[in-house]
C-alpha cells in the first residue's frame, strides 16, 4: 500500500479535463484533486475534514461537484492552506515545477530530520498514541532485482496522523526526503535502523 502511495505521488494519473479550455487551469484542478485523493480524502469527506482541521474558509459538497465549481471555490488562500497542510510544494500545485515535495536530504542533516519530525508531531497535540505515528522502510523493487548491486535502495517514510475521520479512516501527512538510501553501503542500514528506534 505504501509502495503504491510513493508511485502515485511521483506519477499522477491523468484525468480527462479536456472540457476546460485552458490547459494550465485544467492542470491546477487535476493536481488539487490529486492531493486530496492521494491522502485518502473522498469528496464526501472534505467538508468534515476542513471543519475538523479548523480551515479558515467555508466549504460545501457542491464545491467539488464539477471542475467548474471547484475552480470557482479555489483561491490563493485555499491553495496555500492545502500546500502547507499536506506538505506539498506550492510550485507543483501551480504547475511551475514537477517536484511534488521538498527534498531536504536528511542523510546530510540528521538535525533537520529530527526537527521536522518534532515539529509535525507537536502540531498534532496529545490526542494521539505513539502507535498512531508510523515509520516505514520501503524497498525499491523486490526479490533478486533488489539484491543486485546498486539496486538495494530503501526509502524512509513517516506517516504522521492529521485527523481521524472515523474508526476506519485516518488521514495522514507523509514526511520523506524521497531519496533512496543504499542499504548495502557501509553503515546505511545501521543508520536507518537507528532512526526507526529513535522515532
Amino acid at each position: 500500500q505504501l509502495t503504491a502511495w510513493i508511485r502515485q505521488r511521483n506519477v499522477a494519473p491523468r484525468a480527462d479535463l479536456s472540457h476546460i479550455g485552458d490547459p494550465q487551469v485544467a492542470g491546477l484542478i487535476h493536481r488539487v484533486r490529486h492531493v486530496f485523493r492521494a491522502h485518502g480524502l473522498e469528496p464526501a469527506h472534505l467538508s468534515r475534514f476542513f471543519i475538523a482541521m479548523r480551515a479558515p474558509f467555508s466549504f460545501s459538497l457542491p464545491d467539488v461537484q464539477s471542475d467548474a465549481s471547484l475552480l470557482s471555490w479555489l483561491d490563493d488562500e485555499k491553495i496555500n492552506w492545502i500546500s502547507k497542510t499536506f506538505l506539498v510544494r506550492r510550485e507543483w500545485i501551480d504547475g511551475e515545477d514537477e517536484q511534488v515535495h521538498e527534498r531536504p536530504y536528511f542523510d546530510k542533516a540528521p538535525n533537520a530530520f529530527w526537527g521536522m519530525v518534532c515539529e509535525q508531531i507537536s502540531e498534532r497535540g496529545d490526542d494521539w498514541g505513539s502507535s498512531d505515528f508510523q515509520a516505514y522502510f520501503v524497498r525499491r523493487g523486490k526479490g533478486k532485482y533488489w539484491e543486485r548491486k546498486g539496486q538495494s535502495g530503501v526509502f524512509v517514510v513517516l506517516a504522521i496522523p492529521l485527523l481521524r475521520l472515523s474508526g476506519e479512516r485516518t488521514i495522514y501527512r507523509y514526511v520523506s526526503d524521497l531519496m533512496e538510501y543504499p542499504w548495502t553501503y557501509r553503515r546505511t542500514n545501521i543508520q536507518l535502523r537507528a532512526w526507526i528506534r529513535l522515532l
Side-chain angles (χ1 to χ4, degrees):
Q1 197 174 19
L2 203 57
T3 304
W5 171 80
I6 285 178
R7 284 180 183 147
Q8 77 173 4
R9 303 285 279 190
N10 288 305
V11 182
R14 290 285 163 206
D16 180 18
L17 298 169
S18 55
H19 58 284
I20 295 181
D22 188 333
Q24 290 182 332
V25 173
L28 172 68
I29 297 297
H30 168 71
R31 287 185 292 274
V32 169
R33 287 192 186 276
H34 182 68
V35 169
F36 295 147
R37 192 171 51 249
H39 288 84
L41 284 166
E42 303 297 335
H45 299 144
L46 289 173
S47 183
R48 221 175 350 147
F49 176 75
F50 290 136
I51 290 169
M53 291 293 293
R54 296 182 178 90
F57 47 77
S58 60
F59 175 87
S60 62
L61 198 52
D63 291 326
V64 288
Q65 186 175 8
S66 69
D67 295 330
S69 61
L70 180 58
L71 182 60
S72 65
W73 175 79
L74 277 175
D75 59 27
D76 203 53
E77 176 195 18
K78 293 172 183 127
I79 295 171
N80 276 333
W81 189 90
I82 291 166
S83 170
K84 183 173 183 280
T85 300
F86 294 109
L87 303 178
V88 173
R89 295 178 72 237
R90 174 68 195 259
E91 293 85 352
W92 175 77
I93 294 178
D94 289 341
E96 298 169 5
D97 197 281
E98 301 253 332
Q99 186 176 309
V100 181
H101 300 276
E102 295 293 344
R103 298 196 174 184
Y105 299 109
F106 290 134
D107 66 321
K108 306 291 185 197
N111 289 340
F113 172 81
W114 186 250
M116 178 177 266
V117 172
C118 291
E119 179 186 340
Q120 299 303 321
I121 289 175
S122 66
E123 283 182 14
R124 304 282 67 82
D126 299 325
D127 298 334
W128 302 96
S130 60
S131 62
D132 293 307
F133 298 89
Q134 300 171 23
Y136 298 93
F137 290 160
V138 183
R139 280 195 331 193
R140 179 179 180 269
K142 59 184 179 180
K144 291 183 179 178
Y145 174 81
W146 190 74
E147 292 168 3
R148 286 184 205 155
K149 186 175 181 180
Q151 300 297 332
S152 60
V154 174
F155 297 95
V156 178
V157 179
L158 311 179
I160 299 173
L162 269 174
L163 180 71
R164 188 174 287 118
L165 277 177
S166 68
E168 301 297 319
R169 188 175 298 245
T170 300
I171 305 304
Y172 291 91
R173 78 171 24 152
Y174 299 93
V175 175
S176 173
D177 53 8
L178 295 178
M179 175 179 167
E180 295 176 44
Y181 291 87
W183 188 256
T184 54
Y185 176 71
R186 296 183 187 170
R187 297 186 302 276
T188 302
N189 53 20
I190 299 168
Q191 178 185 356
L192 293 178
R193 286 187 177 113
W195 279 3
I196 296 302
R197 290 194 185 104
L198 263 174
L199 291 165

